[in-house]
Amino acid sequence: MLTIREVTELTGIAAPTLRYYEKEGLLPHVKRNENGKRLYDEDDLSWIHFVTALRATGMPIAQIQKYVYLYKEGDSTISERKMMMLHHKKEIEKSIRELYFNLDKINYKLALYDVIESQIERTNIKI
């Protein structure tokens, strides 16, 4: 079992963020010791990494809450959870396509600058 300090050191996630995730119901199994201090196990770490990935890819807190609720409901919700993940995956793929499209525009502009700079350097060379 790990303390919140150990989890923050291990994951790089701030303690207030971990407390917020637990308060919002995103970490379904965090335990407490006799003094009320949070204790995290491997399952909790897996949830933390999963929630962090969902947040980093733009999933709203409310949608993650719904996912956790469905998870707690058990195996009867697997199809619905799978559909949620498939929908989120499509959104991520769309974002990646848009990023690559925009990256191509930036690379094109950089290539133009390379051409312009090479032309300027040639015209400034006097023999």
Side-chain angles (χ1 to χ4, degrees):
M1 299 297 271
L2 300 169
T3 64
I4 197 165
R5 173 177 281 152
E6 292 168 325
V7 172
T8 62
E9 291 170 1
L10 190 63
T11 63
I13 300 168
T17 302
L18 291 170
R19 287 191 286 272
Y20 174 75
Y21 284 173
E22 183 184 358
K23 179 179 152 261
E24 292 300 316
L26 307 183
L27 304 175
H29 303 296
V30 176
K31 293 144 221 52
R32 305 240 180 186
N33 68 12
E34 61 278 354
N35 298 322
K37 304 262 182 180
R38 290 168 178 83
L39 296 174
Y40 299 87
D41 60 19
E42 287 299 317
D43 286 340
D44 298 317
L45 287 176
S46 292
W47 272 100
I48 290 166
H49 292 301
F50 181 57
V51 168
T52 302
L54 294 176
R55 290 295 299 138
T57 54
M59 184 178 276
I61 295 287
Q63 197 170 354
I64 300 171
Q65 288 170 324
K66 180 179 179 183
Y67 181 90
V68 173
Y69 171 80
L70 292 170
Y71 165 79
K72 287 179 174 181
E73 289 293 305
D75 289 348
S76 64
T77 66
I78 286 175
S79 293
E80 191 172 354
R81 286 183 276 154
K82 180 181 177 182
M83 291 306 295
M84 287 180 74
M85 289 300 105
L86 285 171
H87 175 74
H88 189 62
K89 178 180 182 263
K90 287 179 183 178
E91 291 295 317
I92 294 168
E93 290 169 343
K94 178 182 173 193
S95 294
I96 289 169
R97 283 191 304 275
E98 290 170 358
L99 284 171
Y100 273 116
F101 177 80
N102 293 324
L103 182 60
D104 283 343
K105 299 266 184 228
I106 292 167
N107 283 333
Y108 175 76
K109 185 60 79 172
L110 287 169
L112 284 177
Y113 288 139
D114 286 342
V115 169
I116 292 168
E117 282 180 337
S118 69
Q119 288 173 347
I120 291 171
E121 289 171 9
R122 276 195 297 244
T123 59
N124 289 335
I125 298 174
K126 307 244 179 194
I127 299 179

